[in-house]
């Protein structure tokens, strides 16, 4: 296909085809391809029933028993199922997603002593505290082995999309998410 030649997109296979070959190409596709009546996807004519059986058969989620088409099961199990296991961002305990909010509220309310300033800080407030701790620059009184052990911060769960982010990125992610985009945002 020449770069300067006119191309058309085949309505069957969605490929760009040179204008001089387009009529023959589209006729070939219409003869050997069919549209799935359930999803409108183009599949080889002899495989329509197999496609429908593999993709559109009703199945149940093994965790929550919700019924859906097989093509939606994987996404449901990974992102939507209320019984899918998720780790607590504070204690790393795995719980069903539907119980995670209540657990994180209680777990994040626990306190630990700040190694820099000596104050007791709620676990949910530690990322903000670490960035504003008045004695964070003076760590010489703490043995280096202790500083190293506590310098690795656990990921924080976004309250909107329930995905884990490094503590230094969560504020910006939630801010952008909450400003009306209502979709996961990756901060780089």
């Amino acid at each position: 296909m020449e770069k300067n030649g006119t191309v058309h997109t085949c309505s069957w296979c969605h490929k760009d085809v040179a204008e001089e070959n387009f009529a023959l190409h589209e006729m070939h596709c219409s003869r050997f391809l069919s549209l799935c009546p359930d999803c409108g996807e183009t599949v080889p004519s002899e495989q329509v029933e197999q496609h429908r059986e593999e993709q559109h058969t009703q199945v149940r989620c093994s965790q929550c028993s919700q019924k859906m088409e097989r093509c939606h099961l994987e996404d449901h199990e990974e992102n939507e199922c209320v019984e899918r296991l998720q780790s607590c961002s504070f204690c790393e305990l795995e719980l069903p997603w539907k119980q995670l909010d209540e657990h994180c509220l209680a777990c994040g309310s626990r306190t630990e002593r700040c190694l820099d300033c000596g104050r007791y800080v709620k676990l949910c407030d530690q990322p903000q505290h670490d960035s504003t701790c008045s004695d964070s620059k003076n760590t010489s009184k703490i043995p280096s082995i202790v500083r190293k052990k506590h310098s690795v911060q656990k990921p924080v769960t976004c309250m909107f999309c329930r995905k884990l982010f490094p503590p230094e990125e969560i504020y910006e992610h939630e801010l952008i998410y909450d400003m009306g985009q209502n979709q996961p945002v990756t901060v780089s």
Side-chain angles (χ1 to χ4, degrees), residues 15-111:
K15 291 181 180 175
D16 289 335
V17 180
E19 183 175 30
E20 58 270 9
N21 299 331
F22 185 72
L24 183 62
H25 174 92
E26 196 163 55
M27 187 184 319
H28 181 270
C29 280
S30 68
R31 189 174 196 192
F32 294 103
L33 298 177
S34 297
L35 293 176
C36 171
D38 297 317
C39 66
E41 185 178 328
T42 305
V43 293
S45 296
E46 70 274 359
Q47 295 178 5
V48 171
E49 286 308 312
Q50 179 184 350
H51 165 81
R52 291 183 76 191
E53 187 174 316
E54 289 175 359
Q55 298 298 316
H56 303 294
T57 301
Q58 292 287 312
V59 294
R60 288 193 183 275
C61 172
S62 61
Q63 297 174 38
C64 70
S65 299
Q66 183 177 337
K67 201 171 186 180
M68 68 203 70
E69 289 184 344
R70 186 184 314 269
C71 60
H72 300 296
L73 182 62
E74 185 177 342
D75 184 54
H76 168 79
E77 288 176 339
E78 290 178 12
N79 303 311
E80 300 168 358
C81 182
V82 296
E83 296 292 338
R84 71 188 185 275
L85 293 179
Q86 297 281 299
S87 294
C88 171
S89 57
F90 303 109
C91 69
E92 298 178 14
L93 177 69
E94 284 194 342
L95 297 159
W97 181 83
K98 67 181 182 182
Q99 297 173 0
L100 194 61
D101 284 339
E102 183 179 341
H103 171 83
C104 286
L105 185 63
C107 193
S109 296
R110 292 183 298 125
T111 60

